[in-house]
Amino acid sequence: MCYINKLALPCLTHFQMDVHGKIRDVLAETVRGDGHHGQRSLSEEDFIHALQWRGIVDDVMKDLHFTNVDVSHTKPDTVNKSATLVPLRRYLYFQVLGGKAFLEHLQEPEPLPGQVCSTFTLHLHFRNQRFCSKPVPCTCEPDLQEGFLLEVHRDGPGDASKMADDTTMLSICDPVHMLLINTDTTGDTTLISSYFLDWRRVLSAPNGKTSVSVELLGVGSECKVAVGVLNQSLERQKTAEKERLFLVYAKQWWQEFLEIRPSHQSKLVKIFAQDENGVNRPVCSYVRVSRAGRLLKSPWQATHFISLLAQERAPVVGGGVRQEQWCSMMAFLFCCWDLDWMDVCVGTKAENIPHTWVMTCGTDGSITLWESFTAHRYLHRPIDPDAPPMVPQPKPTHPYQTLGCVFNHKMFLANCQPSDAVELCVFDFTDGSRWKAMSEEAVRSVCAPGSTSSHPPTPPLCSLSVVPNEASNQLELEMRYLLAEHRKDLGLAMVWDDHLSYLLSAAHSAYELEHCTGVSCGNEEFQDAVRRAVPDGHTFKGFPVHFLHRNARRAFATCLRSPFCEEIVCCRGDHVRLVVRVRVFAYPVSACAVWIMFACKYRSVL
């Protein structure tokens, strides 16, 4: 449980100087000084006068800035750009005062100074602004004390010279989205809680400030643990009415779809999906236009970036069937290059396993299927079931078997063709006999940005948080240490070949380029350089491997499970020289492509 204090007045956030500490010291000194007189109680004016007399107010006004995120130039959830407060804009100061009742960490001891421990980090998203707290140790009462200054954005360029009035402020329904993240000692992160806070109650609070306790619920199967009480407002009633009308429409649409053909009952036509908070939402609301600026340079790189986001199964306490869980955009960033021609497909792959992938339609009618897990793309070549037996038919190269529905942020279509096999599908969405479409107006009523307050807005992509060269050097040092210790345990000598290690960087660049673009280039130069570096009569062996994390011990243990890698690591012979080369390629939202190559060269003995 976190305690949140929100002020509707322009206030300070983090400066280089400890403003909060100085204010506390001045107030404590003022109280002590007044205690000698004891004639009257101190007022708010007395405290303000004391702050002014000591120059604190002047210092604050000189350096008063708000934290913001420039999606093209800053690190995720950090401050790299400061802008002076504009007097004609409204700001919201959001302060976290601490946490309580994290009972899962009740027995954990207090970490010693310098000791590595699991940490909590609070992430915030509000109207295209993202913020992040300092990590604090995971305890029963974590010391989550942070202040964030949020700007209440103008909706149009004509509002630059006007201060937003109360009606305008009340009409801004975007909540403050809070995510609590746990980072363990290995660097792996877990989503602990996702919460949407309606900040507008501060507008009716005395002195423009209020303090509330926010009960953070679990996610997935634990989303109903310790359910809180919410107040129903008129705006929420309107949102609920929109969602109810869409549900009525969806039921009628589904019944019409079933009447077309009895076999439609078994098709994967997914209209609603549960988010991390256990709320049923139309699937179209999970897809939003996300412009990456200069962070992603092409659809190929965007797809590669998505494939680098680590996947994990939603945890379930106890047995039973695993519950399906989709995530809001802030909990799981999904980036599409241009959604006007990209659609999400729901169907099955091998062994009838439910699966989703992305489809693009070219202006020439060509259909390309993109696999988000691997960034592979497949050109769809449909089979003509009415063709004569002697006419050769194309063989599918993709892993997809059936297709139930297609959707994006504007449309939803169900496959009503006689067969839902992907290789037989005709992707002419204007043909009502093959695709049953939902009303675009109905989809827009609940899925368009700003249509309802229950669907969070799209957070911005943030630039790189990892310095590639530094991360590469650090991980390579750790891998070298693990390799040396492993050979030491086996009683084997350890001699490095730094020149050969340098040459392996060219291979990493070629591998990453191929993953990003599907084009293989640079391997010839790498192989030629290795031939020059390996003397006659010597043998070279290399083992490249790709990871989505920077945990050295976990990566090394995975590599040792490969017989070919173990053969290199445990190489015995004459003039054995070993190499481990690491290259980290950084992408937005802390995503990384990590390439590690183990190699050895030795004199061949007959």
Side-chain angles (χ1 to χ4, degrees), residues 8 15 46 53 63 89 161 253 282 392 521 595:
F15 301 120
D46 294 328
W53 185 74
D63 297 327
R89 295 185 189 176
S161 61
W253 181 91
C521 63
W595 286 97

Side-chain angles (χ1 to χ4, degrees), residues 19-247:
V19 176
H20 286 287
K22 289 188 176 183
I23 292 176
R24 284 194 295 267
D25 293 341
V26 170
L27 297 183
E29 182 182 343
T30 304
V31 172
R32 288 195 301 269
D34 187 73
H36 297 298
H37 303 287
Q39 298 177 354
R40 63 181 180 86
S41 60
L42 291 171
S43 65
E44 183 177 345
E45 288 75 12
D46 294 328
F47 287 121
I48 293 177
H49 176 72
L51 293 174
Q52 290 175 335
W53 185 74
R54 288 165 177 80
I56 301 297
V57 174
D58 291 337
D59 292 340
V60 170
M61 294 307 297
K62 289 178 183 178
D63 297 327
L64 192 57
H65 294 79
F66 69 88
T67 59
N68 200 352
V69 174
D70 180 351
V71 297
S72 299
H73 302 285
T74 63
K75 298 179 181 180
D77 302 319
T78 60
V79 179
N80 191 36
K81 171 187 171 184
S82 296
T84 304
L85 285 171
V86 179
L88 294 178
R89 295 185 189 176
R90 296 280 192 176
Y91 299 91
L92 180 75
Y93 186 60
F94 183 100
Q95 188 176 9
V96 182
L97 302 179
K100 290 184 178 181
F102 286 82
L103 301 181
E104 184 178 351
H105 304 278
L106 183 62
Q107 303 299 325
E108 292 189 12
E110 290 289 334
L112 299 175
Q115 180 183 5
V116 178
C117 63
S118 299
T119 59
F120 283 137
T121 309
L122 186 67
H123 295 253
L124 264 67
H125 170 227
F126 178 70
R127 309 208 81 193
N128 207 39
Q129 302 163 79
R130 291 177 59 182
F131 304 87
C132 178
S133 71
K134 298 187 298 290
V136 299
C138 293
T139 62
C140 182
E141 296 187 1
D143 189 25
L144 284 167
Q145 297 192 34
E146 290 280 351
F148 307 95
L149 194 64
L150 316 180
E151 180 184 4
V152 182
H153 281 269
R154 302 183 310 274
D155 290 331
D159 298 332
S161 61
K162 297 186 298 185
M163 173 76 80
D165 55 19
D166 293 342
T167 304
T168 302
M169 298 283 283
L170 286 170
S171 67
I172 299 174
C173 61
D174 295 343
V176 177
H177 190 183
M178 305 164 56
L179 291 179
L180 186 65
I181 304 296
N182 172 263
T183 304
D184 62 21
T185 54
T186 65
D188 292 336
T189 58
T190 304
L191 176 63
I192 301 299
S193 182
S194 173
Y195 188 88
F196 296 96
L197 179 68
D198 187 354
W199 58 274
R200 289 170 300 177
R201 68 185 73 180
V202 74
L203 298 177
S204 60
N207 301 321
K209 60 183 180 180
T210 185
S211 179
V212 296
S213 297
V214 174
E215 195 169 29
L216 299 179
L217 308 181
V219 297
S221 60
E222 301 177 11
C223 65
K224 299 302 181 184
V225 177
V227 176
V229 178
L230 300 178
N231 293 327
Q232 187 83 353
S233 65
L234 177 61
E235 178 182 76
R236 179 56 193 152
Q237 292 174 3
K238 292 180 179 179
T239 295
E241 180 64 14
K242 285 184 180 180
E243 293 172 347
R244 186 190 68 80
L245 291 175
F246 180 79
L247 178 60

Side-chain angles (χ1 to χ4, degrees), residues 487 493-501 503-504 529-543 567-569 571-580 598-605:
R487 286 184 64 85
M494 183 77 246
V495 182
W496 299 105
D497 189 327
D498 291 331
H499 176 62
L500 185 58
S501 175
L503 297 179
L504 297 185
V530 170
R531 291 189 186 98
R532 289 193 181 96
V534 177
D536 293 339
H538 286 65
T539 299
F540 169 84
K541 292 182 179 179
F543 176 76
E567 182 181 341
I568 294 174
V569 170
C571 181
R572 303 168 184 261
D574 190 20
H575 283 78
V576 175
R577 300 292 184 268
L578 287 132
V579 172
V580 58
F598 293 91
C600 68
K601 70 175 183 181
Y602 58 92
R603 178 181 295 171
S604 302
V605 180

Side-chain angles (χ1 to χ4, degrees), residues 284-285 288 409-410 440 442-452 455:
C284 296
S285 68
R288 298 286 179 87
H409 63 307
K410 295 180 179 178
E440 290 190 13
V443 173
R444 193 184 309 114
S445 67
V446 292
C447 297
S451 58
T452 65
H455 300 163

